[in-house]
Structures are given as structure tokens and as C-alpha cells.
Amino acid sequence: MASNLVQITRRGFGETMRRDGWWIQSALTFLGFSAFIVYSTWAAFQGAHYSFGPYLSPMYSPLIWEAAGQQLSGHAWLGSWPSWLPTYLLVQPITPAILILWAPGGFRFTCYYYRGAYYKAFWADPPACAVGESRSGYRGERKFPLVLQNIHRYFLYVAIVFIGILAYDAIAATQFKDGFGIGVGTIVLTVNVILLGSYTFGCHSLRHLVGGGCDVMSDKPVRQGLWNWVSKLNRNHMLFAWMSLFWVGFSDFYVRMCSMGVFTDYRIF
Amino acid sequence: MAKATFSIRRGGRDGGEMVDYQAEVSEGMVVLDAVHQIQAESAPDLACRWNCKAGKCGSCSAEINGMPKLMCMTRLDTIDLSQTVTIEPMRAFPPIKDLISDVSWNYEVKKRIKKFNPRKPDAEDGTWRMQQSDIDRVQEFRKCIECYLCQDVCHVLRDHNKHEEFIGPRFLVYTAALEMHPLDTENRTEDLKDMFGIGYCNITKCCTKVCPEHITITDNAIIPLKERVVDEHYDPLKKLVKLFRKK
């Protein structure tokens, strides 16, 4: 290919002839992601107020061990924080959330939707469509470290397991001390797993794995059906990505506020 | 009749400048109408490509107020005419004259993609049978009118000038149409990874946004191709499964 055919003049950072508010979408994405990262990091390091009665914050689920120094809540799989596990790594406390958040975090970080969104909002690569960039060099996702984005499907496998666990948590959120019931928290945790499920099961990698990799699906009705179903969710992947992100944060906030006595959890029945 | 000001790029292969022209605006006009009016009344030497005026030939691609669009499909009532409307040629390709870019690089790229290679005919009449559900997926890609707006907006070409290493969204769509075709037997994943530079795409979806045929370029063509490359090059588990299946 004759490269000398194409020689274009680069525009400087932010340089564009666009007159619309091209920066708004990237700015909102930046603010939205930043707010979630700040809140979730803060919540993950707290190691307290992550459960309230039958409710368990999704940021601490699965709760492998109860956080160091916390009373047994009944949600922990293996009981109290083990003595062989340190409670601090340098100055940062190690909490049950720290042990598990790498999985949903990795799933979102390598998600095709999020990649496109944060490359624009955080890396300005590009800042918006048809707007000049700051860097002249570009390697895309061909080289280390971004070539690692290709492990997205492995995070998907873990994320699907997490959906099962969060679905169990939503069911467990109906088991109050006085028996079956539904509180506002039950609804919050149920909506959480529905939104997370809609996001996870609309994943591009899942779409490929269930049938997208086949050129002929007409002789594979189960794969065809699954592909159609995942494709439907995939069309709204961005919407579910944002809704589930917000709702995970809100679910943790709700459980935390109830546990701290700020909110009263009303029972519907 | 209301008048609007259009700032149009004038000049040859080098340099060029934006020149202001006035055009009368009436109901139902598109940007191409205004350009034709300017050609007829003020600048008879103004060069622009156009053909069908119906959004099907892909000739009148340009950048209107900085966004890649077809001039014939951009109605003036969708633009703020109180300000000057800028019209430039596509920036991802070298200019030839005024609004015309040299898009011949695209024709060279297309030649490098392995052609359609169908399996042996399996019907008695020496042809093939396909199910509609199998062909539905690639049908979308065949709507492409080769206007190259997606190539123009792609920052890998536009800002990083990777024409040597990256084939751009248009030809990833073309490759997807071949690669996902139920009759095709060719494997293009090696080429996608190495020669076609699919890893350069960082999924910003700008190509999907500007496509006048509303082809879901990123979600339906590029990402599925990226996943096929992952299958063959970045998924050790899949490789292991394939190894056992072969035995």
C-alpha cells in the first residue's frame, strides 16, 4: 500500500470545526466514572456497615470472611477473618471487599463499552469524534498493556458466577428474623441483580461465545436462541452498564445507611 | 427569502483556505443544494463530488460544521443557520481540490482482503442453499454505500495516520461480511490481527455514529471480529480445547 498517498495534517488537542457541545458526553462520563471509583474505593476500604439484617452490600458479596474485628453477620461463607490473613497491606486495610472487587472491576474495565467510553473521557484518545488529540503516538490495543483487554471473556466467566451469588443474596434478603418478608432493601438488592444480569448477559464476549463465532447457526437452535437473546440485551449494553453501575453504588449506600442507623428500612410485608 | 453564509474550503492539494459564500435558503433544502446554488451563482469553479442526491451513491461526503456527513442528506433545517456553516472535504484523505478528497487509498486496501471463497456447491443444481437466519447477520453490512465517512471519522486514520497498518472501519465491515458469510471458507483472522491492524480500533464508536446507512459497525462487525481474533490468538483455554478436539 503506498503510504505516500495519504498524508494528512494533524490537528492539535481539542481542535475541531464542531460547534456542538462535543465535550459534554466525555465530561459526563468522566464525572460519572470518577464518582463511582471514588465512592467504591472508599466503601471497599471501610470494612464495616456492609450488612444489615438479611441484606448484604453487593460490594462485599461474596463475603468470604467477615471483616476483621466485625461480629458474625451470618453472611460470611467461612466465618471470621482468619488470623493468617493480614488486616493491613502497608497502610491500606484489607477488607472482604478488597478480596473480591478485582473481579467485577476487571469485568467492567475490560468491557467493550467501557473501553470506548474511558478512552475518550480519561485518555482523550480521542476526546470526542472528529476532535483533535493530544498525543501523536498511538498503539491502540495491539501492544502491552492494552493488549490485555483481550482477557475480557475470562472476567465474564467470573462475573456470571457473581450474578448467581448476587441472585442468592437477593433471595436471602427476604429471610428476616421473623420469617419471609420484603423490605425496601429486598427490592433494592433484587433490582441490583436484575440490572447487573442485564449488563452481564448482554456482554459482547458472551454474544460471541454463545453463537457469534459460528457462521451457520440455523442447525444449532439452542445457540441461535441464546445469540438472539444476548443480542437483544447487547443493543442496550451502554444503558445497562450505566444503570447497573449506579445501582451497585446505591445498593451499597442503602445497606450502609441502614446499618449506620441513618435510614430506616421499611418492610412492605 | 432567508440567506445563510457557508464557509467552504477552497484550494488544491496543498494549503487551501476557507471562503465565505451566501446562499438563499428555502424549505426542504439540503447542504448539497446550497453548494450547487453557490456553484451556479458565485463560484462556478467550485469542485464537489455528487451523483444520486439520495444518500445512496456515497459521493458527496464532506465535513459539515466539523462532522463527517453526506451533503445530500443533511437538511439545512437541522443546522443553526444564524452562524456560518463550514463545509470541508474529508480530513482523513489528502485533498485534491476544494471539497474533493483523494479516496483511492481505499480501493488499494480492498484489493488486499481475501476474496469470497464459497464451499463446494451442495445442491443438485450445482448451487447452494442457505437459511435466511444465517444470512441475516451479514445482510446489514451489505447496506454500505462506501461513502468513507466512517474512515474519515476514525481517529486511527484521521489523527494517527495509520493508513499503512490499519484498514479502517469500512473494510472491517467488508471483512466481516465475508468472514461471517455462511458459505465462505476463507480464514481472515490472521490478516485481521497483523496486516489489517484490528487491534488499533479502540471502540470509540465514532464510525457507527456517522454511518448514513445506520450500520452498527462497532457492535456487529468490529467487536465480533475482535472476538474471533481473541479465539485464535489470545485465549489459551480455547486453544487447549481445540487441541483436545483435534486428538
Side-chain angles (χ1 to χ4, degrees):
Chain A
M1 202 168 12
S3 60
N4 58 354
L5 269 179
V6 181
Q7 268 307 322
I8 49 165
T9 321
R10 265 193 96 241
R11 274 184 170 160
F13 178 57
E15 209 180 316
T16 182
M17 295 296 263
R18 282 180 67 173
R19 299 244 180 78
D20 55 340
W22 57 265
W23 52 273
I24 295 172
Q25 194 182 0
S26 289
L28 289 176
T29 306
F30 181 84
L31 290 174
F33 288 171
S34 299
F36 181 80
I37 291 165
V38 168
Y39 177 78
S40 60
T41 307
W42 174 82
F45 282 125
Q46 293 308 298
H49 300 298
Y50 51 78
S51 68
F52 177 71
Y55 308 148
L56 174 64
S57 160
M59 287 193 188
Y60 282 75
S61 181
L63 186 65
I64 302 170
W65 292 288
E66 208 72 62
Q70 295 293 310
Q71 297 273 331
L72 283 176
S73 65
H75 293 285
W77 290 10
L78 302 176
S80 302
W81 191 261
S83 54
W84 53 267
L85 203 60
T87 51
Y88 273 85
L89 186 67
L90 300 174
V91 291
Q92 296 298 341
I94 301 176
T95 68
I98 301 296
L99 300 180
I100 54 121
L101 279 184
W102 59 268
F107 181 57
R108 288 196 188 249
F109 188 81
T110 57
C111 162
Y112 283 103
Y113 162 67
Y114 281 111
R115 273 144 74 178
Y118 67 69
Y119 286 141
K120 280 200 256 190
F122 286 78
W123 266 264
D125 204 2
C129 302
V131 178
E133 295 181 22
S134 53
R135 298 171 200 84
S136 54
Y138 179 74
R139 303 199 304 178
E141 296 182 338
R142 299 190 88 193
K143 301 268 162 81
F144 183 81
L146 292 182
V147 72
L148 292 178
Q149 302 279 29
N150 290 311
I151 61 170
H152 182 54
R153 60 179 62 174
Y154 284 91
F155 281 115
L156 165 73
Y157 304 143
V158 184
I160 291 172
V161 175
F162 272 54
I163 294 296
I165 294 167
L166 292 172
Y168 170 81
D169 287 346
I171 295 165
T174 61
Q175 304 303 309
F176 290 84
K177 275 184 186 163
D178 55 351
F180 178 82
I182 291 179
V184 174
T186 315
I187 295 168
V188 169
L189 294 182
T190 305
V191 170
N192 179 57
V193 74
I194 290 170
L195 291 175
L196 279 174
S198 303
Y199 167 62
T200 306
F201 294 117
C203 165
H204 290 88
S205 287
L206 184 64
R207 189 177 180 224
H208 171 77
L209 293 166
V210 297
C214 305
D215 296 337
V216 179
M217 276 191 277
S218 53
D219 57 353
K220 304 171 191 77
V222 175
R223 298 192 80 170
Q224 174 86 66
L226 284 171
W227 185 78
N228 288 340
W229 185 67
V230 175
S231 296
K232 271 183 196 160
L233 288 174
N234 182 263
R235 270 173 229 138
N236 295 304
H237 201 47
M238 182 181 88
L239 178 71
F240 288 127
W242 276 105
M243 286 173 75
S244 61
L245 189 78
F246 170 78
W247 206 264
V248 166
F250 176 71
S251 300
D252 178 86
F253 180 73
Y254 183 82
V255 173
R256 191 169 294 281
M257 289 298 109
C258 289
S259 170
M260 291 170 75
V262 179
F263 286 179
T264 304
D265 180 58
Y266 291 102
R267 284 279 292 274
I268 294 163
F269 67 85
Chain B
M1 206 173 278
K3 283 203 166 192
T5 306
F6 295 85
S7 181
I8 300 177
R9 190 253 179 199
R10 300 300 312 267
R13 290 179 191 273
D14 301 309
E17 56 176 347
M18 300 299 284
V19 180
D20 285 358
Y21 298 98
Q22 294 268 313
E24 286 182 348
V25 177
S26 58
E27 200 182 339
M29 272 178 75
V30 293
V31 171
L32 186 60
D33 291 325
V35 170
H36 281 163
Q37 197 186 114
I38 291 162
Q39 270 182 330
E41 294 171 2
S42 329
D45 60 339
L46 173 65
C48 85
R49 280 199 190 101
W50 71 282
N51 196 347
C52 73
K53 225 185 145 195
K56 289 294 163 200
C57 72
S59 305
C60 63
S61 304
E63 298 195 6
I64 300 161
N65 281 345
M67 272 308 273
K69 288 176 179 176
L70 292 180
M71 287 195 284
C72 71
M73 297 304 285
T74 308
R75 290 175 64 104
L76 290 182
D77 58 11
T78 63
I79 301 173
D80 177 12
L81 296 177
S82 63
Q83 294 186 52
T84 303
V85 179
T86 62
I87 310 174
E88 299 169 281
M90 291 192 284
R91 289 188 58 83
F93 309 109
I96 295 176
K97 185 178 186 307
D98 302 337
L99 295 178
I100 297 178
S101 303
D102 178 1
V103 294
S104 58
W105 169 80
N106 294 286
Y107 312 142
E108 297 305 314
V109 171
K110 200 170 192 176
K111 288 178 196 164
R112 295 163 60 211
I113 299 168
K114 284 181 192 161
K115 300 287 173 262
F116 180 60
N117 183 11
R119 63 170 191 245
K120 283 184 180 165
D122 47 13
E124 284 181 3
D125 59 357
T127 60
W128 299 265
R129 297 290 179 272
M130 290 181 286
Q131 295 299 312
Q132 184 61 45
S133 59
D134 290 327
I135 204 73
D136 275 345
R137 190 155 54 137
V138 294
Q139 210 86 330
E140 178 190 12
F141 307 141
R142 297 182 65 88
K143 291 193 298 180
C144 178
I145 56 171
E146 296 204 325
C147 59
Y148 302 126
L149 290 177
C150 58
Q151 304 282 74
D152 181 42
V153 81
C154 177
H155 74 124
V156 182
L157 301 173
R158 180 189 183 90
D159 290 307
H160 299 295
N161 210 5
K162 296 281 183 194
H163 298 73
E164 188 82 355
E165 298 154 78
F166 180 59
I167 60 172
R170 159 58 195 138
F171 296 107
L172 290 174
V173 167
Y174 179 67
T175 309
L178 296 169
E179 194 62 20
M180 295 177 191
H181 197 287
L183 295 186
D184 186 69
T185 56
E186 207 66 74
N187 187 343
R188 299 170 186 83
T189 43
E190 193 76 38
D191 290 351
L192 281 165
K193 178 178 167 282
D194 299 325
M195 279 163 60
F196 302 165
I198 195 168
Y200 277 119
C201 169
N202 68 345
I203 329 146
T204 54
K205 295 198 178 184
C206 294
C207 49
T208 305
K209 268 183 204 155
V210 301
C211 179
E213 285 294 316
H214 307 292
I215 301 170
T216 319
I217 300 173
T218 320
D219 290 317
N220 290 349
I222 299 180
I223 294 175
L225 289 180
K226 271 179 172 265
E227 284 293 315
R228 286 178 187 222
V229 172
V230 175
D231 277 349
E232 294 204 6
H233 298 278
Y234 301 110
D235 187 348
L237 205 64
K238 193 112 184 173
K239 274 190 179 172
L240 206 66
V241 170
K242 270 188 183 172
L243 204 72
F244 278 107
R245 271 193 186 160
K246 273 181 191 169
K247 282 180 182 176

